[in-house]
Amino acid sequence: MKKLITLIFLTLICNAVNAQEINMVGQWKVKEIISPKAVENDNIRNMMNGLSESTFHLEQDNSIKITSLNPTEGFRYFTMMANDAIWNFKDNKLTLADKKSKRLIMKVSVSIKDGKTIFTFDETNLVVEVAKTE
């Protein structure tokens, strides 16, 4: 009986840790670009420079806005996709979809590692560390 109670207790603890829910509403500032570290393509490097100083504004009404202190030309192209998008968060996946057509624009996996919040952009090697500022 004691083993059964211990097993149930450990299962509940593991589920609570794994079911860690993140409140995505707020401003998420990029602290560091984890990957890729070096980019040879000038256009991609230009976009990454803007992204490195950016903030994702995830509003309560599911609208999104991405701003940067260094709005490079490549970064402006990146933000055009988010201008008319809505966001949703489920199962640690942040999805952006077009407001009108509801067509998927991008998926971002959200995880917490060593106390750091990580955005991993699906289908790319882009991984950034972010911090909630509001």
Side-chain angles (χ1 to χ4, degrees):
M1 183 68 169
K2 188 175 181 180
K3 287 182 181 181
L4 180 61
I5 292 173
T6 303
L7 180 62
I8 292 171
F9 178 73
L10 290 174
T11 302
L12 290 174
I13 288 175
C14 290
N15 286 341
V17 169
N18 288 333
Q20 191 176 100
E21 190 60 35
I22 303 169
N23 179 7
M24 295 304 297
V25 174
Q27 296 182 18
W28 295 87
K29 182 170 179 24
V30 173
K31 291 182 69 176
E32 178 187 1
I33 296 179
I34 297 170
S35 173
K37 285 292 187 185
V39 178
E40 292 182 24
N41 181 297
D42 288 339
N43 293 328
I44 302 290
R45 188 174 27 255
N46 182 277
M47 190 271 299
M48 300 291 277
N49 287 338
L51 182 65
S52 68
E53 298 183 44
S54 67
T55 302
F56 292 77
H57 306 265
L58 301 174
E59 304 297 337
Q60 186 74 39
D61 66 357
N62 292 88
S63 63
I64 181 171
K65 181 177 169 186
I66 305 171
T67 59
S68 177
L69 297 175
N70 182 20
T72 63
E73 185 177 333
F75 179 78
R76 286 192 297 268
Y77 177 77
F78 178 75
T79 60
M80 281 180 6
M81 294 186 298
N83 283 347
D84 290 320
I86 55 174
W87 65 272
N88 189 23
F89 185 68
K90 183 177 181 181
D91 298 329
N92 292 330
K93 285 280 187 192
L94 177 65
T95 56
L96 275 65
D98 182 78
K99 281 182 188 173
K100 295 176 185 171
S101 69
K102 306 294 187 222
R103 191 186 73 212
L104 181 67
I105 297 172
M106 75 175 68
K107 288 183 186 178
V108 181
S109 297
V110 180
S111 60
I112 298 175
K113 295 180 183 168
D114 300 324
K116 299 176 181 180
T117 305
I118 307 297
F119 284 6
T120 303
F121 292 76
D122 292 12
E123 301 178 20
T124 71
N125 64 343
L126 179 59
V127 180
V128 297
E129 177 190 346
V130 296
K132 195 170 189 179
T133 60
E134 278 189 25

